[in-house]
């Protein structure tokens, strides 16, 4: 049992106990990547949506991290152009969940429980995750990083999402400021929700490695942002998909670099 939020953050920012396998979703008809524990039955799974113009490989460390903690993590590599369809990316997130539950993964020593499914994403991938959750009753949790409004509207869809939501926003994000994106989405959320601000995070701080879009978008990969986001999302998914309550202190408390927006948080159920 993690005794306090600081200890929980430290533990969950490191790799978990599972050996991780990597796979290509294209082998089953959907471009993208998937990371899984080597083995396990009845595992939880999350489908992760990339940001605008980003590759799913810019989140490979996050996917590996989740898999190391026993969560199957799949990221579609579709809708990567400048005119990406948010509706289609949402559909691809649901397809990724179908693959996780319906296709044999790994070497046959693991399976996913269709009652333990989540969606998450960065920027437009976060908005698309909200769209996916609104239309898929299987989704039990939703996580977003620097979420942006979409077409159709993620804000309108948020009213229909009753699954718990965790929204992380960057205090230095000039492309998706919280006041115009995460805050109204959290306020409209149909279920328990928590909004956190990472004061020093930029828009691309949640991504990994170098990419040409750093020339046209705001920010760059930030280790501290990634570390904090990984720990919080891992705690959130373990709690709501796998019933693992060891990380309640982290979900219920401010930690250095990630403060809770109390005005837009209805989080009692997040740590129950």
């Amino acid at each position: 049992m993690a005794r306090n939020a600081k200890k929980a953050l430290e533990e969950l920012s490191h790799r978990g106990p599972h050996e991780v396998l990597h796979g290509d979703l294209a082998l089953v008809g959907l471009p993208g990547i998937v990371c899984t524990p080597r083995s396990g039955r009845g595992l939880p799974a999350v489908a992760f949506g990339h940001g605008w113009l980003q590759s799913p490989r810019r989140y490979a460390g996050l996917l590996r991290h989740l898999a190391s903690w026993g969560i199957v993590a799949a990221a579609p590599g579709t809708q990567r152009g400048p005119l990406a369809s948010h509706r289609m990316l949402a559909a691809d997130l649901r397809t990724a969940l179908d693959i996780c539950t319906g296709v044999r993964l790994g070497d046959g020593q693991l399976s996913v429980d269709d009652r333990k499914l989540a969606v998450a994403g960065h920027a437009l991938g976060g908005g698309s995750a909200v769209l996916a959750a609104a239309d898929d009753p299987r989704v039990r949790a939703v996580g977003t990083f620097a979420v942006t409004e979409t077409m159709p509207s993620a804000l309108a869809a948020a009213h229909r999402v009753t699954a718990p939501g965790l929204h992380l926003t960057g205090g230095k994000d000039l492309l998706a400021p919280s006041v115009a994106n995460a805050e109204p989405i959290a306020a409209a959320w149909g279920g328990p929700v928590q909004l956190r601000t990472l004061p020093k995070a930029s828009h691309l701080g949640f991504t990994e490695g170098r990419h040409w879009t750093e020339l046209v978008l705001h920010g760059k990969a930030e280790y501290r942002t990634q570390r904090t986001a990984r720990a919080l999302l891992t705690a959130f998914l373990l709690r709501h998909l796998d019933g693992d309550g060891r990380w309640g202190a982290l979900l219920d408390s401010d930690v250095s670099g990630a403060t809770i927006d109390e005005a837009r948080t209805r989080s009692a159920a997040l740590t129950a």
Side-chain angles (χ1 to χ4, degrees):
M1 177 71 72
R3 293 188 297 274
N4 55 50
K6 182 177 180 180
K7 180 176 175 60
L9 177 64
E10 179 65 24
E11 291 184 20
L12 283 176
S13 66
H14 292 93
R15 287 175 63 93
H18 295 271
E19 183 180 353
V20 175
L21 301 179
H22 304 258
D24 188 345
L25 290 177
L27 296 176
V28 289
L30 181 71
I33 58 178
V34 59
C35 294
T36 75
R38 176 169 290 280
S39 62
R41 298 294 181 183
L43 297 175
V46 60
F48 190 90
H50 60 78
W52 187 53
L53 300 176
Q54 305 302 308
S55 163
R57 298 198 176 277
R58 297 210 75 191
Y59 311 92
L62 171 65
L63 302 182
R64 288 193 297 267
H65 185 84
L66 293 171
S68 76
W69 283 97
I71 302 168
V72 173
T78 57
Q79 304 304 319
R80 292 177 54 195
L83 301 178
S85 167
H86 308 145
R87 187 191 301 274
M88 290 303 297
L89 182 55
D92 291 337
L93 291 173
R94 297 195 298 271
T95 298
L97 292 180
D98 292 337
I99 291 171
C100 290
T101 57
V103 174
R104 182 176 177 178
L105 300 173
D107 54 8
Q109 298 185 58
L110 62 86
S111 65
V112 169
D113 189 333
D114 62 8
R115 298 167 298 179
K116 299 179 179 180
L117 303 180
V119 288
H122 171 230
L124 77 82
S128 297
V130 176
L131 298 179
D135 292 332
D136 194 332
R138 299 176 300 170
V139 172
R140 296 291 185 263
V142 183
T144 72
F145 303 159
V147 64
T148 60
E149 176 63 304
T150 56
M151 187 180 299
S153 171
L155 175 57
H159 291 277
R160 298 187 285 119
V161 182
T162 58
L166 174 67
H167 304 289
L168 306 183
T169 186
K172 294 185 176 180
D173 190 340
L174 301 182
L175 292 181
S178 180
V179 67
N181 295 277
E183 290 181 19
I185 287 174
W189 204 255
V193 63
Q194 185 176 95
L195 174 64
R196 285 186 184 252
T197 300
L198 280 61
K200 297 184 178 181
S202 67
H203 186 72
L204 291 179
F206 297 95
T207 62
E208 302 159 16
R210 301 297 302 272
H211 196 254
W212 66 267
T213 51
E214 292 174 9
L215 299 174
V216 295
L217 300 179
H218 175 248
K220 60 182 180 180
E222 297 159 358
Y223 172 75
R224 184 175 182 182
T225 298
Q226 297 161 25
R227 176 180 180 271
T228 302
R230 289 175 187 178
L232 287 166
L233 183 62
T234 302
F236 176 71
L237 295 179
L238 288 175
R239 177 65 189 92
H240 290 288
L241 300 184
D242 224 21
D244 187 344
R246 290 177 294 168
W247 319 107
L250 175 58
L251 293 175
D252 202 34
S253 306
D254 286 335
V255 291
S256 178
T259 57
I260 299 173
D261 183 334
E262 298 289 354
R264 297 170 185 83
T265 290
R266 302 183 300 279
S267 63
L270 293 183
T271 56

